[in-house]
């Protein structure tokens, strides 16, 4: 199927929220990892989200170019072509974008989609993330409000983060402390600034102990109830029933989380869960195995010529693709089991 249209993406999110499941959002950095994500979603018979971080987009542009917009555009265009061969709906998203990278990443990408929409086409991306967690919340939401207007005009959904995700991603590190838990007042300020969808649809990455990176089970102290309380105070402010879920939430930093914690978070309105560390390892592990087992083939040891069949990148990348695809299947199935269906 083609990459999801704005209408299809909206329907995907509506379905997830109504049926209490979430879509895996798989970070990719190359055509190889993008193919693995597509394959995984297809094998899981699940719609899904594929996303690029600022660092991933820069990497995809080539080490001599190192331009985030070029890399993101190239991967997105590649996805638009290749995704047509798969029987699932895929939405394209850009991950964390801090303030100092807005003008070099998200803003130009919104402009590209705005021009495409003006010419009768669909936007290049279906959603973008603005990460203002490192700045004052009032400034964060002011920028978010401006971005929401621009995104809505380009038929794009905006993702906004309030609170801080711990750990490290793309060179950005945050301590693991009480700032990892979004306060109830922050949810109310978000409603005041961004509304409840009437100004444009947005996803909310509220934090409840989330940490980027790889951790053993139990090392991350998640408090999913933070999400429930945030939904409750927002619903009360908006005059909704006490069990309403006005926010469509995003779960960042899920590595090391217990399955029951993931399912609890999904039950409180999480519709998107980012997956990166686990799929990175799944992709790399079989490559390492290939190199260890075939060291005398991939290297020209003691003046020998090696074995072209083992140092041909296709010989190990195809195995890496399958391994990462399997991990995507596992992620989709675990999030599917939180609700009724994908």
């Amino acid at each position: 199927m083609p990459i999801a249209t704005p209408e299809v993406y909206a329907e995907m999110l509506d379905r997830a929220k109504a049926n209490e499941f979430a879509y895996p959002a798989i970070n990719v950095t190359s055509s190889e990892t993008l193919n693995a994500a597509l394959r995984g979603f297809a094998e899981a018979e699940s719609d899904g989200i594929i996303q690029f971080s600022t660092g991933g987009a820069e990497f995809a542009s080539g080490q001599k170019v190192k331009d985030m917009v070029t890399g993101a555009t190239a991967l997105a265009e590649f996805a638009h072509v290749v995704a047509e061969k798969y029987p699932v709906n895929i939405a394209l998203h850009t991950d964390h974008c801090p303030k100092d990278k807005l003008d070099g990443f998200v803003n130009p990408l919104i402009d590209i989609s705005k021009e495409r929409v003006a010419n009768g086409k669909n936007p290049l991306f279906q959603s973008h993330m603005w990460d203002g967690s490192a700045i004052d919340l009032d400034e964060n939401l002011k920028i978010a409000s401006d971005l929401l207007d621009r995104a809505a005009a380009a038929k794009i959904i905006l993702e906004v983060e309030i609170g801080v995700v711990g750990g490290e991603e793309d060179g950005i590190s945050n301590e693991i402390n009480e700032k990892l838990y979004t306060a109830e007042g922050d949810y109310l300020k978000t409603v005041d600034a961004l509304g409840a969808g009437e100004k444009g649809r947005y996803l909310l990455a509220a934090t409840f102990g989330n940490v980027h990176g790889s951790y053993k089970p139990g090392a991350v102290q998640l408090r999913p109830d933070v999400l429930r309380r945030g939904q409750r105070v927002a619903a009360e402010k908006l005059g909704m029933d006490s069990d309403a879920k006005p926010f469509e939430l995003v779960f960042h930093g899920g590595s090391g989380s217990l399955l029951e914690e993931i399912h609890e978070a999904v039950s409180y309105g999480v519709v998107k869960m980012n997956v990166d560390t686990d799929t990175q390892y799944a992709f790399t592990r079989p490559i390492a195995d290939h190199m260890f087992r075939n060291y005398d083939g991939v290297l020209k040891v003691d003046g020998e010529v090696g074995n072209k069949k083992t140092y041909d990148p296709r010989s190990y990348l195809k195995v890496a693709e399958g391994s990462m695809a399997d991990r995507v299947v596992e992620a989709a199935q675990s999030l599917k089991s939180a609700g009724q269906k994908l």
Side-chain angles (χ1 to χ4, degrees):
M1 295 180 183
I3 291 294
T5 64
E7 294 77 18
V8 168
Y9 190 34
E11 189 276 332
M12 286 170 58
L13 297 175
D14 289 343
R15 186 154 36 96
K17 189 173 184 180
N19 294 309
E20 294 190 352
F21 68 82
Y23 296 103
I26 308 298
N27 279 72
V28 303
T29 58
S30 64
S31 58
E32 289 86 357
T33 50
L34 197 154
N35 277 328
L38 288 171
R39 174 178 168 181
F41 282 123
E43 291 179 356
E45 299 181 343
S46 166
D47 296 340
I49 300 167
I50 291 177
Q51 60 189 22
F52 321 134
S53 66
T54 55
E58 180 183 89
F59 177 82
S61 73
Q63 296 308 289
K64 288 294 183 181
V65 178
K66 288 189 173 183
D67 181 77
M68 295 180 289
V69 174
T70 298
T73 302
L75 285 176
E77 293 285 8
F78 180 85
H80 275 266
V81 173
V82 177
E84 291 190 359
K85 301 297 183 180
Y86 292 89
V88 290
N89 294 304
I90 300 295
L92 299 179
H93 176 80
T94 59
D95 205 1
H96 295 270
C97 182
K99 181 180 178 181
D100 63 347
K101 293 183 179 179
L102 276 176
D103 288 339
F105 193 50
V106 165
N107 281 328
L109 291 174
I110 291 177
D111 289 340
I112 289 172
S113 286
K114 186 176 180 180
E115 182 177 354
R116 287 169 62 102
V117 169
N119 291 328
K121 300 179 180 179
N122 288 313
L124 184 62
F125 285 86
Q126 285 63 60
S127 52
H128 293 297
M129 181 186 181
W130 149 240
D131 182 357
S133 61
I135 61 177
D136 177 76
L137 180 62
D138 290 337
E139 182 184 6
N140 176 356
L141 293 174
K142 172 61 172 66
I143 294 173
S145 180
D146 294 340
L147 286 170
L148 185 61
D149 290 341
R150 298 187 62 236
K155 297 185 177 181
I156 293 169
I157 293 172
L158 185 69
E159 180 180 331
V160 178
E161 181 166 332
I162 56 172
V164 176
V165 177
E168 188 275 334
E169 182 176 60
D170 270 354
I172 299 174
S173 299
N174 290 308
E175 294 181 2
I176 299 175
N177 54 37
E178 284 300 312
K179 293 182 179 179
L180 304 186
Y181 305 96
T182 300
E184 292 183 15
D186 296 346
Y187 290 97
L188 299 178
K189 283 190 173 183
T190 300
V191 173
D192 287 337
L194 305 182
E198 71 278 3
K199 300 179 181 180
R201 191 166 189 168
Y202 64 93
L203 306 175
L204 184 65
T207 56
F208 54 106
N210 321 53
V211 178
H212 288 134
S214 182
Y215 298 86
K216 292 181 180 179
V220 177
Q221 301 300 313
L222 292 179
R223 302 178 193 168
D225 188 63
V226 169
L227 302 180
R228 183 186 66 82
R229 287 187 280 113
Q231 295 279 35
R232 184 193 63 201
V233 297
E236 182 178 354
K237 181 179 181 67
L238 293 166
M240 298 178 173
D241 292 339
S242 59
D243 60 349
K245 301 169 189 173
F247 293 119
E248 294 170 334
L249 301 173
V250 181
F251 187 161
H252 284 253
S255 297
S257 303
L258 301 174
L259 185 60
E260 54 265 32
E261 293 175 329
I262 294 173
H263 284 186
E264 182 182 356
V266 170
S267 75
Y268 298 145
V270 168
V271 297
K272 171 178 177 280
M273 179 174 171
N274 291 8
V275 180
D276 187 14
T277 303
D278 290 347
T279 48
Q280 284 180 339
Y281 183 78
F283 188 84
T284 301
R285 179 64 182 81
I287 296 176
D289 179 67
H290 177 91
M291 299 304 173
F292 281 125
R293 287 189 298 103
N294 299 287
Y295 77 95
D296 56 345
V298 298
L299 299 175
K300 297 181 180 181
V301 179
D302 296 331
E304 294 297 326
V305 296
N307 183 346
K308 184 181 186 301
K309 290 184 179 180
T310 59
Y311 61 73
D312 182 338
R314 291 171 294 182
S315 67
Y316 48 85
L317 289 178
K318 65 182 181 182
V319 181
E321 177 188 307
S323 176
M324 180 173 166
D326 288 343
R327 185 63 191 91
V328 173
V329 171
E330 292 173 7
Q333 290 176 341
S334 67
L335 291 173
K336 178 181 181 179
S337 65
Q340 299 176 24
K341 61 180 180 178
L342 286 183

